[in-house]
């Protein structure tokens, strides 16, 4: 629930001036306002002359560092920063993490959690997370441990799919982006690797387009991350993407995304399928080939088998269209049962006769025609 901004900033002020502070970051901007610096980072440092509060501000061109003495000097510097119209504050102390996002109405959305790490925070962070837990993105999407883990697992899969040297510009589309937190995570991670990244998120819901566009402005990346309200099948994009994401797009929306990726000749595709109904319905309507009747006799078994068959056939079809495909666990199944990820890289290798035959035998024996096959034919 939003809280009065003044009260929350008073709490942030106390934390920033407390010796238990580990690190704090201010970034983004409030609606219609622009801070004099794009980002400010504060941390206590031990210098020869005694403990100081280090403040690093960035004007977009270069960082500027100063070390101020705790007491009046630090209080004045902190007050100056709190008066800036930043859109987010992320404050870590030895015992807690407080994230603040200033809403369009000028209130504060606050998320408080236990400290994310102990010990050498900077070292732990580099070791554990691909996207800094202090990234302003987490102030926007909420930074609880489960969400950080999901973002991190997704970014690790992305990193494992892409080459060491990224093309620049790297053009990305996220089909069925929803509230786009993985879209933004991909952008911030890839841009952090030094590539010029352009991202378009597509979702059929106009309200998501409006909301996500506002988030992009808050995060200061509205020029690079844009949103389109339209369908996966035919939304028009400002570019042909190199990388296609389709994460938890429902049922055959995943097939539509894969079909578009193939037609665009996208170099990389990451798809985490969601619910599977298409093949399950086809299995229900026709007898299983001998001796596999037991696999589809009971509804729960039929559904699970249909999930596996659907994604196997998707992988197979992508291979027939010149992709090298891996199917991996997306994130820990304790987090969500929708935890499978199809990871594909275009090689343009021609399919072998054995691969074709395997696909045709499998679909023929089970009397199924996958949605993706129809879309690609
Ligand atoms: C379960 S959400 C997943 C959101 C996001 N990709 C994620 O993983 O957090 C699926 C989203 O896909 C959108 N969607 C489903 N079918 C679509 C279609 N045919 N065209 C465009 N968007 C679609 C829905 O509106 C919804 O926002």
């Amino acid at each position: 629930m939003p809280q009065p901004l003044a009260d929350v900033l008073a709490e942030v002020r106390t934390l920033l001036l407390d010796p238990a502070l580990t690190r704090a970051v201010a970034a983004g901007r409030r609606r219609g306002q622009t801070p004099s610096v794009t980002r400010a980072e504060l941390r206590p440092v031990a210098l020869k002359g005694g403990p100081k509060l280090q403040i690093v501000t960035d004007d977009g061109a270069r960082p500027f560092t100063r070390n101020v003495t705790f007491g009046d000097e630090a209080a004045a510097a902190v007050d100056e920063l709190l008066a800036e119209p930043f859109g987010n504050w992320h404050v870590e102390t030895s015992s807690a993490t407080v994230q603040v996002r200033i809403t369009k109405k000028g209130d504060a959305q606050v998320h408080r959690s236990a400290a994310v790490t102990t010990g050498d925070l900077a070292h732990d962070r580099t070791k554990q997370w691909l996207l800094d837990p202090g990234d302003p993105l987490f102030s926007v999407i909420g930074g609880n441990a489960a969400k950080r883990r999901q973002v991190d697992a997704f970014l690790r899969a992305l990193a494992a799919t892409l080459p060491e040297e990224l093309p620049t510009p790297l053009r990305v589309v996220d089909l069925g982006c929803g509230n786009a937190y993985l879209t933004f995570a991909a952008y911030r991670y890839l841009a952090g690797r030094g590539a010029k990244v352009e991202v378009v998120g597509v979702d059929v819901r106009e309200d998501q387009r409006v909301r996500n566009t506002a988030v992009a402005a808050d995060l200061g990346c509205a020029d690079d991350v844009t949103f389109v309200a339209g369908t996966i099948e035919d939304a028009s994009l400002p570019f042909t993407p190199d990388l296609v994401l389709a994460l938890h797009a429902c049922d055959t929306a995943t097939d539509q995304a894969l079909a578009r990726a193939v037609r665009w000749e996208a170099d990389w595709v990451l798809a985490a399928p969601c619910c599977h109904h298409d093949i399950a319905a086809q299995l229900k309507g026709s007898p299983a080939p001998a001796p596999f009747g037991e696999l589809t006799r009971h509804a729960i078994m039929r559904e699970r088998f249909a999930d596996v068959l659907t994604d196997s056939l998707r992988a197979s079809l992508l291979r027939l269209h010149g992709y090298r495909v891996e199917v991996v666990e997306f994130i820990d199944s304790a987090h969500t049962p929708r935890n499978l990820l199809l990871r594909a890289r275009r090689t343009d290798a021609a399919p072998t006769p054995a691969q074709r035959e395997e696909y045709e035998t499998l679909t023929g024996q089970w009397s199924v025609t996958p949605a993706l096959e129809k879309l690609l034919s």
Side-chain angles (χ1 to χ4, degrees), residues 174-182 202-205 208 230-233 247-250 253 256 274:
D174 188 354
L175 297 172
C177 64
N179 63 13
Y181 70 88
L182 293 173
V202 173
D203 201 285
V204 73
R205 287 176 48 184
Q208 294 286 36
T231 62
I232 292 174
E233 307 87 293
L247 306 166
H248 308 121
C250 325
Q256 282 149 5
C274 187

Side-chain angles (χ1 to χ4, degrees), residues 35-174:
S36 62
V37 290
T38 55
R39 188 176 195 274
E41 182 160 350
L42 300 85
R43 67 173 76 235
V45 287
L47 299 181
K48 261 193 208 153
K52 304 273 181 192
L53 180 64
Q54 183 173 82
I55 303 177
V56 182
T57 50
D58 196 323
D59 61 8
R62 62 191 174 83
F64 174 73
T65 304
R66 64 194 163 128
N67 298 312
V68 294
T69 309
F70 280 102
D72 290 348
E73 196 188 359
V78 162
D79 285 338
E80 260 176 46
L81 288 175
L82 288 171
E84 293 278 358
F86 288 117
N88 312 285
W89 273 93
H90 173 97
V91 185
E92 289 168 19
T93 72
S94 52
S95 58
T97 298
V98 176
Q99 295 181 87
V100 180
R101 181 171 70 86
I102 290 81
T103 66
K104 280 186 209 153
K105 291 184 179 160
D107 296 322
Q109 277 288 3
V110 188
H111 183 267
R112 297 179 179 82
S113 55
V116 285
T117 54
T118 54
D120 182 343
L121 194 72
H123 174 72
D124 284 354
R125 186 178 294 115
T126 328
K127 200 174 64 180
Q128 289 183 359
W129 307 101
L130 287 190
L131 190 64
D132 188 338
D135 192 284
L137 172 67
F138 292 107
S139 311
V140 176
I141 65 171
N144 65 30
K147 199 156 267 182
R148 278 166 210 245
R149 274 202 300 278
Q150 195 195 13
V151 166
D152 198 61
F154 162 63
L155 294 179
R156 279 176 199 283
L158 183 58
T161 308
L162 296 175
E164 197 66 19
E165 189 150 335
L166 298 175
T168 187
L170 172 63
R171 295 186 165 126
V172 185
V173 66
D174 188 354

Side-chain angles (χ1 to χ4, degrees), residues 52-369:
K52 304 273 181 192
L53 180 64
Q54 183 173 82
I55 303 177
V56 182
T57 50
D58 196 323
D59 61 8
R62 62 191 174 83
F64 174 73
T65 304
R66 64 194 163 128
N67 298 312
V68 294
T69 309
F70 280 102
D72 290 348
E73 196 188 359
V78 162
D79 285 338
E80 260 176 46
L81 288 175
L82 288 171
E84 293 278 358
F86 288 117
N88 312 285
W89 273 93
H90 173 97
V91 185
E92 289 168 19
T93 72
S94 52
S95 58
T97 298
V98 176
Q99 295 181 87
V100 180
R101 181 171 70 86
I102 290 81
T103 66
K104 280 186 209 153
K105 291 184 179 160
D107 296 322
Q109 277 288 3
V110 188
H111 183 267
R112 297 179 179 82
S113 55
V116 285
T117 54
T118 54
D120 182 343
L121 194 72
H123 174 72
D124 284 354
R125 186 178 294 115
T126 328
K127 200 174 64 180
Q128 289 183 359
W129 307 101
L130 287 190
L131 190 64
D132 188 338
D135 192 284
L137 172 67
F138 292 107
S139 311
V140 176
I141 65 171
N144 65 30
K147 199 156 267 182
R148 278 166 210 245
R149 274 202 300 278
Q150 195 195 13
V151 166
D152 198 61
F154 162 63
L155 294 179
R156 279 176 199 283
L158 183 58
T161 308
L162 296 175
E164 197 66 19
E165 189 150 335
L166 298 175
T168 187
L170 172 63
R171 295 186 165 126
V172 185
V173 66
D174 188 354
L175 297 172
C177 64
N179 63 13
Y181 70 88
L182 293 173
T183 325
F184 285 115
Y187 170 76
R188 294 197 74 89
Y189 167 67
L190 295 169
R193 279 179 54 175
K196 160 90 180 127
V197 186
E198 295 167 25
V199 182
V200 174
V202 173
D203 201 285
V204 73
R205 287 176 48 184
E206 168 66 9
D207 61 327
Q208 294 286 36
R209 186 195 66 77
V210 171
R211 179 198 164 278
N212 294 338
T213 302
V215 172
D218 274 359
L219 290 171
C221 57
D223 289 342
D224 294 332
V225 186
T226 54
F227 293 89
V228 172
T231 62
I232 292 174
E233 307 87 293
D234 53 23
S236 86
L237 263 53
F239 50 65
T240 303
D242 308 297
L243 167 65
V244 174
L245 306 174
L247 306 166
H248 308 121
C250 325
D251 196 15
T252 52
T254 295
D255 299 296
Q256 282 149 5
L258 295 176
R260 276 206 102 175
V262 169
R263 283 198 292 271
W264 280 321
E265 299 186 343
D267 285 327
W268 304 283
V269 186
L270 285 186
C274 187
C275 43
H276 303 66
H277 301 305
D278 170 44
I279 295 286
Q282 295 185 46
L283 289 180
K284 201 173 173 188
S286 63
F292 301 113
E294 199 59 39
L295 293 188
T296 55
R297 184 156 300 137
H298 306 285
I300 176 81
M301 301 285 277
R302 189 169 57 241
E303 271 170 36
R304 289 185 185 177
F305 175 64
D307 287 6
V308 172
L309 186 57
T310 304
D311 291 322
S312 306
L313 292 171
R314 284 171 174 158
S316 190
L317 277 164
L318 286 174
R319 254 178 235 119
L320 296 182
H321 284 83
Y323 284 82
R324 187 191 174 106
V325 187
E326 290 169 319
V327 183
V328 295
E329 187 176 57
F330 183 14
I331 44 172
D332 191 333
S333 52
H335 184 74
T336 166
R338 308 284 175 216
N339 68 340
L340 184 145
L341 185 75
L342 290 162
R343 230 163 48 183
R345 181 164 59 81
R346 189 166 66 89
T347 61
D348 277 340
T352 63
Q355 285 172 330
R356 280 192 189 287
E357 193 186 327
E358 185 182 77
Y359 175 81
E360 276 155 24
T361 308
L362 191 53
T363 48
Q365 286 193 350
W366 284 94
S367 308
V368 291
T369 309

